[in-house]
Amino acid sequence: MNIQVENPIVEIHDLTVSYSRKPVLWGIDLTIPSGSLVGIIGPNGAGKSTILKTTMGLIPVSSGYIKLFGKDLDEVRDKVSYVPQRESVDWDFPASVMDVVLMGRYNRLGLFKRPRNADKDVAMECLQKVGMEAFVKRQISQLSGGQQQRVFLARALAQDADLYFMDEPFAGVDAATEAAIIKLLREMTAKGKTVIVVHHDLQSAVDYFNWILLLNMRLVASGPTDKVFTQQLLQETYGGKLTLLSKVGDLLEKEQFPTRE
Amino acid sequence: MEDTNNILDFFSLTDPNIRYVVIGSVLLTASSAIIGCFTFLRKRALIGDAIAHSVLPGVCLSFILAGTKNPLILLIGAFITGFISVYLMDFITRNSRIKQDTAIGLLLSVFFGIGILLLTFIQHSGDASQSGLDSFLFGKAASLVAEDLMVFGTAGIILIVTIILLYKEFTLISFDENYARTIGLPVRTFEFILTVLTVLAVVIGIQAVGIVLMSAMLITPAAAARFWTNKLSLMIILAAVLGALSGISGAYISYLSPAMPTGPWIVLIISAIAIFSFMAAPGKGIIARLVLQRNHRHQILEENILKVLFHMGEKEKNYFNKWSIQDIIRKRRMASAQLSTGLNRLRNEGYVEKENNTWRLTQEGKEKGQRITRIHRLWEMYLTEYLRIAPDHVHEDAETMEHIITPEIEARLEEQLKYPSKDPHDETIPYRE
Ligand SMILES: Nc1ncnc2c1ncn2[C@@H]1O[C@H](COP(=O)(O)OP(=O)(O)OP(=O)(O)O)[C@@H](O)[C@H]1O
Ligand SMILES: [Mg+2]
């Protein structure tokens, strides 16, 4: 099941990604329609984080290409925003919540310029959206995991992008906050923005997303939620490890073979 | 008397030679402390060590080639080999399975080995002008002259201005490098600039503390400053000040006794400052934590005593009865020495009075004992009503909570529970009249 759309906002073509020659994503081919709230779903190690990082240009592709808004990432960076997994940074860094959210404004500021009051207003507004306005001055090491996650979300919102990639934004977030964030994401997509979210909970996925990618080293399915969320496809995603694929991957790593000539 | 004269001579800066030494050591130590904040936050402490050690062959080579000790020429040589080592380290970790710490160890020893070899060669060449090159090993701030100062001063100013201008970018790549990439920041370029600045700081810093101890000069001021503040801008300023302080003290010591190597003294002083910060910094330091714990212990003991006195008064229907220490211990087991110190503290605070070895509550003491008792019983109520915990399991928890609950929480408890008159053990909850 792989539904292709006209004028996609994200187009991934025949993408293979490897870590030291060992492919972890094989031949991904997909398109995503603009304005959708997308869930990326798959077991641990399926390559969900990898596909986001590759899209954001953090990991090189072994083969294939990715187009956003029909263009290369470098041409549209200002319209794209990324929320990393919160474990990716050291929260003991000497910075306040406001400092971190303001980082979302840096691309607009340019070299040598300090954040202006207008940027602080935007940052404050974004903190309100994620319910963290009471914590502006708080040192980031004194936040709970869920609060850290929300600070990252606020930073991405401060970028005011059109396309968002979020890596497990609900990890460690309580139910009430999760509901508030989903409401926020829905409002954003209603305004024509596209939000792509790595998500772990199958139960809520049906409610949250209108487009779903099932991923397990390869693309199992991509399409509207009602078409993709079937017993059989989920079985295919989660059931059994793809032993053959990982065996071949290990071989490529051991022999240091190029993935493509 | 002579000592004070020395201090005056040194710190009045009237002697131009002393002036050079003081300004020089401040510049050297402050600039490495400033760039060191980023090295520290990016967890690259070992890189400073690698650079410092690989600077030696550069210094020796440029001396051999140019035949002079001109600081600018030595600095250029130092810079080149320092930079090569960073580049090699990057290359090795990127293109092999060797991890960064191993690569650093490898390069450090190879470069330093070559450096020592060259240094020995120079020393045995009979060239008289070479004397003093070995001060690179341990530093010699006291021998700085005007010429050095021009070069290091310029380097230091370049370093500080660059950091002020690129503060925002350096902060971002230190906190979240990947995010910086995604917003299109040329991270490699900024890392390159940071590396250049680090090499620069190391190259000029080794004049003061020497190669062997240079990495301490880079990291220790930052580590010490981190204890005192959670604000990066403040941390950088503080690191610079602490670094400069150790620089001046080191220079002063080697002014007093020229035979002393400057570097080890500077490093000893900054390490002492770091240890002091570790112990004494507010909030994070060990002492602050010990004091907090002691205050809590005192508070708990005192509040428990007041509570016992209140309970005994409750039973006798006279809150201002006189009690001996034995009476109190009979009611609640405590070590009698502890009890008397607690009582004495309470007397100083005006909560109890002493009369020929008997103790009685003052009005304020009664109020306070009553409040603790009230919170204890309210909390027991709350646990049984809202959390459905059995009445015989709630006492222990209330024993702790009675010391923590604030008046605001107390008011909300009363409201939520609708001012119950009895607790789960059927004891009256004593409200304020
Ligand atoms: N830096 C790395 N070097 C080598 N292999 C890696 C690296 N990062 C991830 N991998 C491997 O790539 C595969 C995909 O990892 P990825 O982090 O994308 O999974 P994921 O779907 O995000 O999993 P999770 O649900 O646990 O977050 C895994 O097998 C993992 O072991
Ligand atoms: Mg992941």
Side-chain angles (χ1 to χ4, degrees):
Chain A
M1 170 77 52
N2 189 352
I3 313 272
Q4 303 289 343
V5 297
E6 295 286 313
N7 294 324
I9 194 152
V10 178
E11 179 195 359
I12 297 183
H13 181 81
D14 195 22
L15 177 80
T16 299
V17 182
S18 331
Y19 288 110
S20 56
R21 305 259 164 116
K22 175 180 172 175
V24 294
L25 287 173
W26 296 74
I28 311 282
D29 228 350
L30 62 87
T31 49
I32 291 172
S34 174
S36 30
L37 185 48
V38 183
I40 301 183
I41 292 172
N44 291 130
K48 305 182 294 296
S49 298
T50 304
I51 203 170
L52 290 200
K53 284 186 195 154
T54 313
T55 314
M56 293 310 299
L58 298 174
I59 301 174
V61 304
S62 299
S63 73
Y65 63 81
I66 302 173
K67 296 256 182 229
L68 307 175
F69 303 91
K71 298 187 175 138
D72 280 339
L73 173 65
D74 278 326
E75 297 174 58
V76 292
R77 272 198 203 272
D78 288 345
K79 296 202 275 180
V80 186
S81 172
Y82 169 59
V83 181
Q85 273 180 296
R86 93 184 126 80
E87 296 83 5
S88 61
V89 303
D90 177 7
W91 289 90
D92 209 18
F93 196 86
S96 68
V97 167
M98 180 50 104
D99 293 338
V100 174
V101 179
L102 277 176
M103 289 173 184
R105 306 295 294 171
Y106 281 10
N107 58 336
R108 280 158 206 270
L109 283 175
L111 227 51
F112 309 138
K113 301 241 171 52
R114 292 287 151 89
R116 305 151 300 182
N117 275 345
D119 297 308
K120 289 183 185 152
D121 294 346
V122 174
M124 196 61 208
E125 207 177 294
C126 296
L127 278 171
Q128 269 156 9
K129 283 185 191 162
V130 299
M132 285 287 291
E133 66 274 20
F135 296 86
V136 241
K137 296 220 173 91
R138 185 74 73 90
Q139 156 69 14
I140 55 169
S141 64
Q142 290 159 5
L143 297 174
S144 72
Q147 289 166 342
Q148 292 169 349
Q149 193 69 63
R150 285 191 270 166
V151 171
F152 263 1
L153 204 58
R155 178 177 72 175
L157 295 178
Q159 259 180 281
D160 194 23
D162 292 323
L163 174 57
Y164 288 86
F165 293 95
M166 307 184 173
D167 203 342
E168 305 201 27
F170 301 126
V173 168
D174 61 50
T177 313
E178 180 166 332
I181 293 175
I182 268 295
K183 186 159 160 279
L184 177 71
L185 300 186
R186 284 196 178 124
E187 283 164 16
M188 286 162 59
T189 48
K191 283 190 203 139
K193 308 200 173 217
T194 310
V195 183
I196 299 171
V197 177
V198 171
H199 191 59
H200 258 300
D201 184 42
L202 290 178
Q203 222 84 51
S204 52
V206 197
D207 293 337
Y208 289 174
F209 307 113
N210 54 28
W211 192 277
I212 279 183
L213 308 181
L214 292 177
L215 201 68
N216 191 354
M217 296 180 74
R218 63 188 178 103
L219 186 73
V220 178
S222 160
T225 306
D226 49 348
K227 294 223 178 78
V228 165
F229 225 71
T230 64
Q231 189 64 40
Q232 191 214 339
L233 286 173
L234 286 174
Q235 186 76 40
E236 209 177 307
T237 312
Y238 284 88
K241 235 180 139 230
L242 297 166
T243 10
L244 196 66
L245 264 192
S246 5
K247 275 228 178 79
V248 177
D250 288 340
L251 208 63
L252 284 174
E253 186 186 21
K254 211 166 97 209
E255 305 285 338
Q256 292 287 299
F257 247 67
T259 330
R260 296 277 194 283
E261 264 103 291
Chain B
M1 211 40 230
E2 198 193 315
D3 275 357
T4 46
N5 271 340
N6 271 336
I7 292 176
L8 277 180
D9 275 352
F10 186 83
F11 288 102
S12 60
L13 302 182
T14 38
D15 180 345
N17 281 328
I18 295 176
R19 199 153 56 219
Y20 298 145
V21 171
V22 171
I23 298 175
S25 20
V26 166
L27 268 174
L28 301 182
T29 44
S31 36
S32 45
I34 289 172
I35 192 76
C37 286
F38 290 100
T39 319
F40 173 77
L41 290 172
R42 281 155 48 89
K43 306 192 168 47
R44 305 277 160 94
L46 283 172
I47 288 191
D49 220 14
I51 299 173
H53 282 80
S54 42
V55 151
L56 188 60
V59 170
C60 295
L61 272 178
S62 46
F63 176 78
I64 292 173
L65 293 178
T68 124
K69 273 195 323 200
N70 177 316
L72 189 61
I73 291 176
L74 296 190
L75 198 139
I76 292 171
F79 193 86
I80 292 173
T81 46
F83 204 81
I84 291 176
S85 80
V86 181
Y87 188 82
L88 277 179
M89 182 171 53
D90 221 38
F91 183 82
I92 292 176
T93 40
R94 238 177 254 276
N95 293 295
S96 77
R97 280 167 188 248
I98 295 175
K99 294 269 183 313
Q100 199 184 44
D101 54 341
T102 319
I104 288 175
L106 214 75
L107 288 167
L108 184 150
S109 35
V110 169
F111 273 79
F112 193 55
I114 296 176
I116 292 288
L117 211 71
L118 290 173
L119 189 62
T120 323
F121 171 74
I122 294 172
Q123 281 170 336
H124 290 270
S125 67
D127 185 342
S129 66
Q130 58 82 24
S131 74
L133 265 191
D134 56 343
S135 69
F136 274 98
L137 285 181
F138 293 111
K140 204 153 178 54
S143 61
L144 288 174
V145 294
E147 203 182 13
D148 298 321
L149 213 60
M150 286 300 292
V151 177
F152 303 145
T154 317
I157 287 165
I158 291 176
L159 197 142
I160 291 170
V161 170
T162 317
I163 289 200
I164 291 175
L165 285 178
L166 297 178
Y167 176 77
K168 174 163 100 321
E169 285 74 19
F170 287 160
T171 310
L172 180 55
I173 64 170
S174 306
F175 174 62
D176 194 347
E177 192 181 311
N178 273 344
Y179 182 77
R181 281 210 177 91
T182 68
I183 64 170
L185 206 71
V187 172
R188 291 292 291 270
T189 310
F190 285 107
E191 277 183 333
F192 177 80
I193 299 173
L194 260 183
T195 309
V196 171
L197 294 181
T198 315
V199 176
L200 201 63
V202 168
V203 167
I204 62 176
I206 54 174
Q207 304 292 320
V209 298
I211 287 164
V212 183
L213 296 172
M214 185 56 216
S215 70
M217 213 45 238
L218 214 51
I219 299 305
T220 320
R226 182 68 186 90
F227 275 102
W228 299 93
T229 173
N230 281 327
K231 238 182 114 132
L232 180 57
S233 48
L234 223 60
M235 174 180 157
I236 293 174
I237 294 169
L238 197 60
V241 171
L242 296 178
L245 208 67
S246 65
I248 295 184
S249 328
Y252 178 60
I253 291 171
S254 59
Y255 162 77
L256 286 185
S257 90
M260 285 277 188
T262 327
W265 275 108
I266 294 183
V267 171
L268 269 184
I269 291 163
I270 190 65
S271 305
I273 293 176
I275 291 170
F276 173 75
S277 307
F278 172 64
M279 311 266 282
K284 272 186 246 165
I286 295 187
I287 293 178
R289 261 184 259 168
L290 287 180
V291 168
L292 190 70
Q293 277 170 17
R294 195 198 62 149
N295 288 348
H296 283 159
R297 270 203 315 275
H298 284 182
Q299 183 203 343
I300 289 173
L301 174 69
E302 286 161 28
E303 291 185 351
N304 281 342
I305 296 173
L306 290 178
K307 189 177 62 173
V308 175
L309 290 174
F310 180 83
H311 284 179
M312 299 198 310
E314 213 175 18
K315 219 174 203 163
E316 297 293 318
K317 306 221 167 16
N318 175 11
Y319 294 111
F320 305 106
N321 233 342
K322 295 178 191 158
W323 304 100
S324 69
I325 297 242
Q326 281 68 36
D327 294 331
I328 302 175
I329 292 179
R330 219 167 292 133
K331 177 79 184 176
R332 182 185 171 116
R333 280 191 36 205
M334 329 189 198
S336 68
Q338 224 185 8
L339 178 58
S340 9
T341 51
L343 280 168
N344 278 318
R345 274 203 304 270
L346 282 168
R347 184 170 62 160
N348 291 337
E349 290 159 16
Y351 291 122
V352 296
E353 285 165 354
K354 188 179 186 182
E355 241 173 75
N356 344 309
N357 276 330
T358 60
W359 299 84
R360 87 188 180 102
L361 285 170
T362 62
Q363 182 61 35
E364 293 74 28
K366 181 225 154 194
E367 296 283 341
K368 193 158 176 179
Q370 182 175 6
R371 173 167 185 265
I372 306 295
T373 310
R374 183 169 61 241
I375 296 176
H376 182 107
R377 293 179 185 165
L378 280 171
W379 188 250
E380 289 186 338
M381 243 358 240
Y382 181 77
L383 287 183
T384 46
E385 291 237 320
Y386 280 80
L387 305 184
R388 312 232 167 273
I389 296 174
D392 55 334
H393 284 169
V394 292
H395 175 77
E396 287 298 316
D397 192 50
E399 275 292 296
T400 324
M401 297 311 289
E402 67 191 18
H403 305 295
I404 296 173
I405 287 179
T406 60
E408 295 82 61
I409 302 180
E410 182 190 345
R412 281 184 52 191
L413 267 180
E414 291 176 344
E415 223 167 88
Q416 270 200 21
L417 294 166
K418 303 200 182 57
Y419 296 90
S421 54
K422 302 269 185 187
D423 79 352
H425 311 111
D426 213 30
E427 310 236 38
T428 308
I429 297 180
Y431 292 100
R432 274 158 301 216
E433 270 94 58

